[in-house]
Amino acid sequence: MNKWLREDLWRHLVGIAICLFALFPLYLVIISSFSSSGSLQLSSFLPREISFANYSKLFNDPTIPYLTWVKNSLFIAGSVAVFSVMIGTASAFAFSRLKFKGRKFGIQLLLLVQMFPAILAISAVYVIMERVYKFAPEIGLGTQPGLLLVYLGGAMGVNIWLLKGFVDSIPAELDEAAKIDGASEVQTFWLIFVPLAAPVLAVVALLSFIGTFNEFILARLFLVDMESRTVAVGLQQFIGGQYSQNWGPFAAGSILASIPIVIIFLSLQKYIVSGLTAGSVKG
Amino acid sequence: MTGKNMTYLIRGKVAFVIKVIFVTLIASILLLLAQSAFAQREYVISGFLAISVLLLALTYLSKISIPLKFFIPGILLLTAFVIGPILYTVTMSGFNYKTGNIISKEEAIVQIKVRAIEAAPSGLSFDVKLGRYDGEPAILASDINTSEYFISTLDARIPLVASSVTLNEFGVAVEAPNFAPLNDSEFATADKEFTGTRFAFDDQYFIALEGFEAGVVSQQVLEFIPEKDQFKNLLTGAIYTDNGRGNYALAEDKGVILEPGWRAPIWFENYVNIVSDPRVREPLIRVFIWTVAFAFLTVLTTFALGLLLALALNKPIRGRRIYRSILVLPYAMPSVMSILIWGGMFNTEFGAINTLLGTDIAWFSDPNFARVAVILVNLWLGFPYFYLISSGSLQAIPSELMEAAAIDGANPRQIFRKITLPLLLQILSPLLIASFAFNFNNFNLIFLLTGGGPRNELDGEIAGATDILISYTYKIAFGSGTQDLGLASAISLIIFILVASISLYSLRKSKVLETFA
Amino acid sequence: MNTKRFGFAGVLAAFALAVSTLVAPSASANTQIVVWADESRGPNLTKVIAAKGDWVPGFTVKVVTFSSFDALKDAFDKATDASGPDIVVGGNDWVPTGAKSGKLAPLTLTAAVKARFNQTQFVDLTYKGKLYGVPVDINNVAMIYNTKLVSTAPKTFGEMVSNYKSLKASKGLKAGLCIAGGGMSWGAHSVFSALGADAYQFNSRGGIVYGRAFNATTFGKNVRTYLMDGKKSNGFFPATDTGCKDNFLAGTVPYAVIGNWEWADYVAKGFTMNLMPVPGVVDGTYGKMFGSVSGALLTTFAAKHGVESAAKSLLTNFFASTDGQVRYQAFEKRPPAEKGAQADATVSAAQRGFGSAASLAGIPQIGAFLNSNKGGANYWDSAPAYWTAVLIDGKDAVKEASKLASIWRTNTDGGRGDL
């Protein structure tokens, strides 16, 4: 008993304490979503009422095509995740494995570019896509493909950092063996590297998915049309009004929007842990 | 699919044909776009697309460079949407680019000319019908108060006898001899033709259209003299010249300007301002110090808590799975929602925090408490990430090392301090540095939680107690009131140099870059 | 091998180029007027246009709805003529910056059209003597009192405070007077003014008084008397508006300043619209309230798109017409700015309550004075800062008031040239 107390009790105590810390705000969001008043004011910790008004508003109000928004969000975030991983992985492989002139300079440049405070980036991108809209309205401002292109602009820089360490940790002997067998670099990439890197790629895809899912500043500028909006943008209409804010539907919508992410996260947990750290462990 | 099949797919004639078709398809699309862009006079975009086609063809259809095959798409996208905006920002930092000086000079001249037309003091206006008189654009004007009617072309005004016109139910003339009114379908093309046309009225005034049915007697007050690049006031004779900073101003009194102005290059003035103007410099220094402190404290607290959890849950105790699932929730939730809820929790009168603690701390009104709140929320948001990576890293440390140390007589605390911790830091240092850089520019948190406050507006403060460099710059660029994007760009560049230096220095020190030599 | 690949690619590329030269950019006349609006006005405008869309012969109207007012402002700030609207339904405080920056275009209305509006509404949309839009709906606030707690309309500010103190314990009151609509700067001007701090003063002829601000000492002393208990707030007037609406609806606050856009919520909970301006310190005086208009503003992009006259016609024929306004307000349910629509029977009785409060104590919201277009603190940030400084931080009411007065006087004098 003493041994358990000394070795395990403190672990449980720490675990429980931090879990309470983690859960508390989420609990409040859930209560807000079930209360019929439209404010964040929480007068008691136990819900005074359970009302589904907010949830039903999300599904029944014809001016709120919530499910369409979710579909849009999933499509955009999913596409960005997939392409982002492809671009990032290929670049990380090239930078880590292949020797070429300007490699060190290139990766430093990539890191630096990521650090630039992108205050005016939104204005600049808006102007660029406006002009693209003039000659190619299918991929310009206001379209989902256009927004996808903008999001993918940053794909290379962001993911290289996470992936580089992992690529380094794959022994070079594997590459040598493949070369002896007559494989080119591209074949080495697809046949040997990608299968090995699956956990890391899953992590990168997931992080990219979550990030894109939550992004609303660019999305609300680009996807104005009610039918093409994402969830993050659509929910803004509850709290970005000129004179009033309606927290109830916002809380309900946020909870629903986070469920798929949480499910994916939890089911991929094992991958995530090994993937995130594989990127930092060398050999 | 076995390796052999995949090899067949990736190499061989079939693969080659597929590759060529794919590349030419993309090349054709891009060329099409390049041509359309050129037709719409977007030369920069057109040139970029053309060069992209060339690079793509060269990369994938020849053996010029193998690494390029891997990252040319990424680089093209990066150039368009990341490097492009960066160059734009750097360029704008050399301009006087703020509210009142946003558009181009040509556009500003057009606008000033529009505003140079003023209604006559009498406010006289007519109901008009658009049409043609003897083939020329003309208006049929009616004054329903005095029952006077006339036709006005560009050169002449032809009064009409009341009996010769047909009136509608409002008393407005709709038909007149020799006057062919426009029918509805012609209005679209007529807009460009009739708008801005000056229909004759008398020597001093003309009639300007205000919509399709009203004409207002107006005169031109300012005249543009292109050879001298000046505006002249036709009534007072005053001359307005280009003041080099984006406005036409009176020579005698530089404060009197014509609006709108334009974005004019002022080179390094924005940077000089940052250094020399105390109103800009003082807040900047203060905000910088807090930004560094904020980023550092965030990394410290999130790492410490994450590591503590990793150590505590390193052993497969009962319920570890459940703990782990709950502990990653803050990271998996949309941060927008979480931050806003935390904001509500800190409310002085009704917030959950004050209710729980039984206090009435004015969290967001007191500078120090606001800072504590910001760090606390960032801790909540960030500890799962460090928990996850610490967990994995701990498992990666070979247990033989720790067992050997235990055999040598070291107690757990010594093992941790001398072996585990240093190894962990070495493994995680790139990620710690990355977290510092990320939080240095963590706009979302500050903007959504405190808005940068608290701020003492009554004493004229612009920068709040929790403002970090990026949120302060955002306020300068997009806040309510005067928006100064040129200054914000200059500050952004300075921030960038700071962050880049700090990060590069730490990277050099941690020898991470050596792996790329 | 290389040449073969290049040859293949070259042929296809040439083909692509040849095809693309056949694609010429279209150059037909533009027959569409684009109107941008926010998440509440947009859908209502769309409904009106769907029912009747031929306000300008030969042109169609397209309404683009943004997800929130913030998103609308954000997009309009960044818009250029490639994607910008021809008309934008925005706040009147957009006019000075939009005009200065060359985004909004001036228009002239005929006397007949102008006569259909209250002339002060044009002041809200005027910059340096030129008008930039047409008033659409009026936004103002008024004070509502809960007859279950206080049976009669209060005559003075002091009466409200003593009612609060006597009922506080028995009814479990959370506050006495709070701002449920309009925020602690715009809506709270009624309280500032009731206690003696007007943002700008009018002389007997209705003109603005320059060079002077409100009497900081008198105001500060009033704040001490009515809102404070020593160095702390006496609980009558909270410094933030959080929870105010919920508390009033729950019956724990007797007086609230509410906005005319949310009256339906109160009626739904069973309250009658007992509306009045906030009573002043002296019987018969009242706190002045801003009446602001949202405007349909004309952009400079309209001229670039070749629809300048069409857009101006839409403004006159639809936004400034009785018919258009009645149809629009049937959905929007805000008080219309146009007089003919105001007299229409479908404008609800609730709006008349706001209207009469406004006629007793309404003043125009003059952006030139409130926005501090020259830089420095403006009314919007300094006003709530005062409440925080005095009621929460415990700073001296008179000292902070003189800082406030000096800011407001600077802005009024500085904004004179922008009228």
Side-chain angles (χ1 to χ4, degrees):
Chain A
M1 183 58 178
N2 262 342
K3 195 161 186 249
W4 182 82
L5 272 176
R6 217 180 341 119
E7 286 193 4
D8 286 2
L9 177 63
W10 73 276
R11 295 175 191 267
H12 281 284
L13 283 178
V14 168
I16 293 179
I18 310 294
C19 278
L20 286 177
F21 176 53
L23 281 178
F24 187 55
L26 304 176
Y27 172 68
L28 291 179
V29 179
I30 298 181
I31 301 187
S32 303
S33 71
F34 284 119
S35 93
S36 59
S37 83
S39 80
L40 267 184
Q41 175 194 358
L42 304 145
S43 34
S44 67
F45 290 112
L46 292 170
R48 251 194 269 149
E49 44 160 352
I50 305 271
S51 136
F52 286 95
N54 295 321
Y55 288 96
S56 73
K57 186 168 181 186
L58 284 179
F59 291 109
N60 296 331
D61 191 333
T63 63
I64 305 177
Y66 188 71
L67 290 172
T68 314
W69 294 345
V70 173
K71 187 171 55 93
N72 291 333
S73 276
L74 289 176
F75 167 68
I76 293 179
S79 312
V80 171
V82 166
F83 286 115
S84 191
V85 165
M86 280 166 47
I87 295 178
T89 317
S91 313
F93 181 79
F95 269 100
S96 167
R97 275 296 199 265
L98 310 175
K99 306 226 177 306
F100 55 93
K101 228 173 16 167
R103 195 171 69 143
K104 189 167 174 190
F105 171 74
I107 194 116
Q108 274 180 299
L109 190 66
L110 276 176
L111 292 175
L112 288 188
V113 157
Q114 263 182 274
M115 290 182 195
F116 197 91
I119 299 277
L120 285 200
I122 301 181
S123 298
V125 165
Y126 191 85
V127 169
I128 293 177
M129 293 314 270
E130 260 191 334
R131 297 180 174 191
V132 170
Y133 180 79
K134 266 205 288 195
F135 66 85
E138 298 79 26
I139 59 169
L141 190 69
T143 61
Q144 291 184 350
L147 186 60
L148 271 173
L149 282 176
V150 176
Y151 282 148
L152 288 175
M156 190 165 151
V158 166
N159 296 324
I160 269 198
W161 204 217
L162 264 175
L163 291 168
K164 157 206 119 31
F166 178 77
V167 178
D168 287 347
S169 72
I170 296 183
E173 297 83 50
L174 284 175
D175 281 27
E176 309 282 328
K179 216 174 203 158
I180 293 175
D181 277 348
S184 72
E185 281 85 352
V186 178
Q187 287 173 312
T188 316
F189 175 69
W190 284 108
L191 299 174
I192 302 199
F193 174 71
V194 170
L196 270 180
V200 192
L201 301 191
V203 172
V204 172
L206 181 66
L207 291 180
S208 171
F209 183 90
I210 295 181
T212 316
F213 199 87
N214 292 333
E215 205 281 331
F216 71 92
I217 300 223
L218 268 179
R220 78 177 178 184
L221 275 182
F222 268 74
L223 301 174
V224 175
D225 201 42
M226 183 66 100
E227 294 296 314
S228 68
R229 279 181 206 164
T230 60
V231 174
V233 173
L235 290 181
Q236 284 293 307
Q237 84 183 48
F238 296 117
I239 54 171
Q242 192 179 8
Y243 295 116
S244 58
Q245 296 172 331
N246 209 350
W247 294 97
F250 179 76
S254 306
I255 302 248
L256 289 180
S258 25
I259 290 181
I261 302 183
V262 172
I263 292 182
I264 301 180
F265 213 95
L266 291 179
S267 45
L268 289 181
Q269 236 191 79
K270 242 201 331 230
Y271 270 144
I272 292 173
V273 177
S274 65
L276 271 176
T277 55
S280 34
V281 176
K282 284 188 279 290
Chain B
M1 198 177 263
T2 67
K4 210 147 177 217
N5 287 350
M6 281 205 58
T7 316
Y8 184 67
L9 207 61
I10 290 178
R11 211 173 218 191
K13 286 271 178 342
V14 174
F16 170 64
V17 171
I18 293 178
K19 189 166 68 164
V20 171
I21 290 183
F22 195 61
V23 171
T24 27
L25 206 65
I26 300 215
S28 321
I29 296 178
L30 286 178
L31 272 176
L32 251 172
L33 289 175
Q35 203 276 340
S36 311
F38 193 83
Q40 294 281 354
R41 318 220 323 233
E42 293 295 341
Y43 302 121
V44 174
I45 298 186
S46 179
F48 176 77
L49 287 169
I51 295 180
S52 312
V53 173
L54 198 63
L55 283 173
L56 282 171
L58 275 176
T59 310
Y60 290 107
L61 295 182
S62 72
K63 280 215 182 291
I64 278 193
S65 164
I66 305 245
L68 224 56
K69 291 194 197 202
F70 286 92
F71 49 69
I72 192 82
I75 288 199
L76 288 174
L77 285 167
L78 190 81
T79 312
F81 294 112
V82 177
I83 299 193
I86 291 181
L87 293 175
Y88 178 79
T89 307
V90 173
T91 315
M92 280 306 144
S93 70
F95 277 68
N96 183 17
Y97 185 40
K98 57 181 204 268
T99 306
N101 295 82
I102 295 205
I103 51 186
S104 65
K105 186 168 180 183
E106 298 74 41
E107 180 63 27
I109 294 178
V110 168
Q111 298 286 345
I112 297 179
K113 283 188 192 169
V114 167
R115 290 171 206 210
I117 301 188
E118 280 185 22
S122 61
L124 192 55
S125 62
F126 302 99
D127 293 277
V128 305
K129 283 272 171 262
L130 304 184
R132 293 186 196 284
Y133 182 77
D134 282 348
E136 281 187 10
I139 54 174
L140 173 58
S142 320
D143 185 338
I144 52 180
N145 297 324
T146 60
S147 293
E148 281 178 11
Y149 310 94
F150 59 90
I151 290 182
S152 186
T153 63
L154 281 86
D155 317 302
R157 179 176 153 197
I158 304 134
L160 296 171
V161 179
S163 54
S164 64
V165 301
T166 326
L167 303 181
N168 66 7
E169 67 265 32
F170 300 112
V172 176
V174 291
E175 276 175 16
N178 288 336
F179 182 78
L182 291 183
N183 49 32
D184 287 0
S185 54
E186 288 176 299
F187 274 100
T189 41
D191 199 308
K192 266 222 162 95
E193 192 187 356
F194 283 78
T195 307
T197 309
R198 300 178 185 191
F199 294 97
F201 186 69
D202 65 21
D203 292 328
Q204 202 185 357
Y205 297 105
F206 54 86
I207 299 184
L209 277 187
E210 288 286 333
F212 288 128
E213 282 150 32
V216 174
V217 174
S218 320
Q219 61 177 341
Q220 179 180 351
V221 171
L222 286 174
E223 185 190 9
F224 182 59
I225 309 170
E227 311 82 56
K228 295 201 207 152
D229 193 22
Q230 285 174 353
F231 271 95
K232 179 170 164 192
N233 187 319
L234 294 171
L235 300 179
T236 64
I239 306 268
Y240 296 84
T241 49
D242 185 339
N243 69 358
R245 307 195 83 252
N247 283 102
Y248 282 105
L250 273 184
E252 307 87 61
D253 182 357
K254 289 278 175 193
V256 178
I257 54 174
L258 294 178
E259 282 169 348
W262 63 93
R263 48 180 188 262
I266 51 171
W267 310 112
F268 293 103
E269 247 186 72
N270 281 322
Y271 295 96
V272 170
N273 251 0
I274 294 176
V275 177
S276 64
D277 185 351
R279 275 178 318 162
V280 182
R281 190 184 58 216
E282 313 275 284
L284 205 55
I285 296 180
R286 196 160 47 89
V287 169
F288 173 66
I289 296 178
W290 161 245
T291 311
V292 173
F294 164 72
F296 180 72
L297 283 173
T298 296
V299 174
L300 188 68
T301 52
T302 47
F303 180 53
L305 185 58
L307 185 58
L308 174 65
L309 279 169
L311 288 171
L313 299 179
N314 206 12
K315 191 168 154 190
I317 53 178
R318 217 164 27 145
R320 184 169 79 154
R321 264 272 185 81
I322 303 179
Y323 286 136
R324 190 174 261 175
S325 309
I326 295 181
L327 287 172
V328 299
L329 281 180
Y331 199 58
M333 288 289 187
S335 56
V336 175
M337 174 189 89
S338 318
I339 298 178
L340 289 171
I341 294 287
W342 270 103
M345 282 166 60
F346 278 113
N347 181 273
T348 313
E349 279 130 18
F350 309 112
I353 306 259
N354 272 350
T355 319
L356 257 185
L357 297 177
T359 59
D360 62 349
I361 302 175
W363 288 97
F364 293 151
S365 308
D366 178 287
N368 293 319
F369 280 116
R371 290 174 179 150
V372 167
V374 158
I375 303 271
L376 186 65
V377 177
N378 221 7
L379 172 64
W380 186 89
L381 290 168
F383 82 83
Y385 174 71
F386 277 104
Y387 161 62
L388 289 175
I389 61 178
S390 303
S391 255
S393 305
L394 276 178
Q395 288 166 359
I397 297 182
S399 45
E400 301 87 55
L401 275 176
M402 301 200 272
E403 284 165 11
I407 291 177
D408 277 350
N411 65 36
R413 206 164 296 155
Q414 281 173 320
I415 297 182
F416 178 72
R417 248 190 330 130
K418 292 248 163 35
I419 300 186
T420 322
L421 193 56
L423 272 177
L424 266 183
L425 284 177
Q426 190 193 9
I427 295 174
L428 296 179
S429 55
L431 295 173
L432 287 168
I433 295 173
S435 174
F436 179 84
F438 171 76
N439 281 298
F440 200 88
N441 282 337
N442 192 350
F443 175 73
N444 260 14
L445 173 69
I446 303 290
F447 184 70
L448 290 174
L449 191 62
T450 61
R455 190 176 305 118
N456 206 340
E457 281 95 353
L458 293 180
D459 288 325
E461 276 184 11
I462 321 171
T466 54
D467 255 326
I468 55 178
L469 279 173
I470 199 171
S471 67
Y472 176 59
T473 315
Y474 181 86
K475 210 172 306 172
I476 296 181
F478 299 114
S480 59
T482 310
Q483 302 177 338
D484 195 337
L485 295 109
L487 183 64
S489 305
I491 297 181
S492 299
L493 195 57
I494 296 188
I495 298 177
F496 169 64
I497 296 177
L498 285 170
V499 177
S501 318
I502 297 179
S503 305
L504 272 180
Y505 174 71
S506 335
L507 280 175
R508 291 254 161 86
K509 232 173 160 212
S510 70
K511 298 201 177 58
V512 168
L513 287 176
E514 301 310 309
T515 60
F516 285 100
Chain C
M1 195 68 150
N2 274 355
T3 17
K4 206 166 30 159
R5 297 187 201 188
F6 267 124
F8 197 6
V11 164
L12 274 166
F15 181 67
L17 254 177
V19 167
S20 62
T21 51
L22 297 173
V23 177
S26 65
S28 56
N30 188 2
T31 57
Q32 192 177 71
I33 311 173
V34 176
V35 178
W36 281 10
D38 65 12
E39 82 285 0
S40 75
R41 296 196 174 86
N44 294 329
L45 281 173
T46 312
K47 284 185 208 155
V48 177
I49 300 290
K52 174 178 153 88
D54 58 347
W55 300 93
V56 180
F59 287 84
T60 54
V61 180
K62 174 173 166 192
V63 178
V64 178
T65 304
F66 282 79
S67 57
S68 66
F69 188 73
D70 293 341
L72 173 66
K73 175 109 213 300
D74 206 15
F76 186 63
D77 278 343
K78 296 178 169 50
T80 65
D81 47 319
S83 69
D86 303 311
I87 293 178
V88 62
V89 184
N92 62 353
D93 48 323
W94 297 13
V95 170
T97 43
K100 254 209 282 210
S101 301
K103 284 230 159 92
L104 294 177
L107 60 131
T108 313
L109 294 175
T110 61
V113 173
K114 275 190 161 175
R116 295 210 289 267
F117 294 88
N118 194 320
Q119 298 315 298
T120 55
Q121 291 161 354
F122 290 117
V123 175
D124 284 356
L125 301 175
T126 303
Y127 177 73
K128 294 220 164 126
K130 290 199 186 291
L131 182 67
Y132 288 87
V134 166
V136 175
D137 40 60
I138 309 179
N139 306 296
N140 59 9
V141 293
M143 186 180 80
I144 186 177
Y145 53 95
N146 185 346
T147 40
K148 291 202 202 95
L149 293 174
V150 286
S151 45
T152 57
K155 294 218 183 54
T156 67
F157 202 90
E159 189 181 323
M160 295 198 292
V161 179
S162 41
N163 283 346
Y164 163 72
K165 284 184 179 164
S166 50
L167 291 171
K168 181 171 172 184
S170 55
K171 302 278 185 180
L173 296 184
K174 291 228 167 89
L177 166 69
C178 64
I179 310 286
M184 299 310 291
S185 53
W186 192 74
H189 184 267
S190 42
V191 177
F192 271 115
S193 172
L195 295 176
D198 289 57
Y200 32 86
Q201 288 85 42
F202 296 87
N203 58 27
S204 50
R205 281 168 291 120
I208 301 284
V209 175
Y210 294 102
R212 260 200 301 142
F214 63 89
N215 189 324
T217 320
T218 316
F219 171 68
K221 286 197 177 144
N222 282 335
V223 169
R224 280 196 201 133
T225 316
Y226 295 105
L227 304 184
M228 317 277 292
D229 183 9
K231 272 211 167 278
K232 290 173 45 171
S233 158
N234 64 5
F236 174 73
F237 182 66
T240 65
D241 57 359
T242 318
C244 175
K245 187 170 173 183
D246 290 328
N247 289 338
F248 182 83
L249 291 173
T252 51
V253 175
Y255 307 101
V257 172
I258 68 175
N260 65 355
W261 54 90
E262 46 186 10
W263 60 268
D265 300 337
Y266 293 83
V267 168
K269 293 273 185 184
F271 286 92
T272 37
M273 290 283 107
N274 298 310
L275 298 169
M276 56 178 287
V278 176
V281 166
V282 172
D283 186 3
T285 62
Y286 296 102
K288 308 228 179 4
M289 313 174 295
F290 288 128
S292 78
V293 292
S294 20
L297 309 171
L298 178 68
T299 67
T300 52
F301 311 131
K304 290 280 170 328
H305 299 156
V307 294
E308 184 181 338
S309 291
K312 287 184 179 173
S313 286
L314 185 66
L315 285 173
T316 342
N317 297 355
F318 172 64
F319 286 102
S321 71
T322 309
D323 184 25
Q325 277 302 314
V326 169
R327 285 166 181 266
Y328 171 59
Q329 297 300 348
F331 296 111
E332 183 75 17
K333 301 205 190 321
R334 291 188 213 229
E338 200 264 344
K339 285 186 186 163
Q342 279 174 356
D344 190 275
T346 52
V347 172
S348 106
Q351 297 297 359
R352 293 191 219 285
F354 285 101
S356 52
S359 55
L360 266 180
I363 54 172
Q365 174 183 335
I366 304 181
F369 300 148
L370 300 167
N371 291 343
S372 143
N373 297 320
K374 301 266 181 299
N378 56 27
Y379 172 82
W380 312 110
D381 295 330
S382 56
Y386 178 80
W387 300 125
T388 312
V390 173
L391 296 175
I392 297 186
D393 295 342
K395 295 201 182 138
D396 181 56
V398 174
K399 210 153 61 156
E400 299 300 309
S402 28
K403 288 186 198 166
L404 201 65
S406 131
I407 293 176
W408 292 0
R409 185 187 58 239
T410 313
N411 289 340
T412 308
D413 292 345
R416 187 175 188 174
D418 286 349
L419 274 185

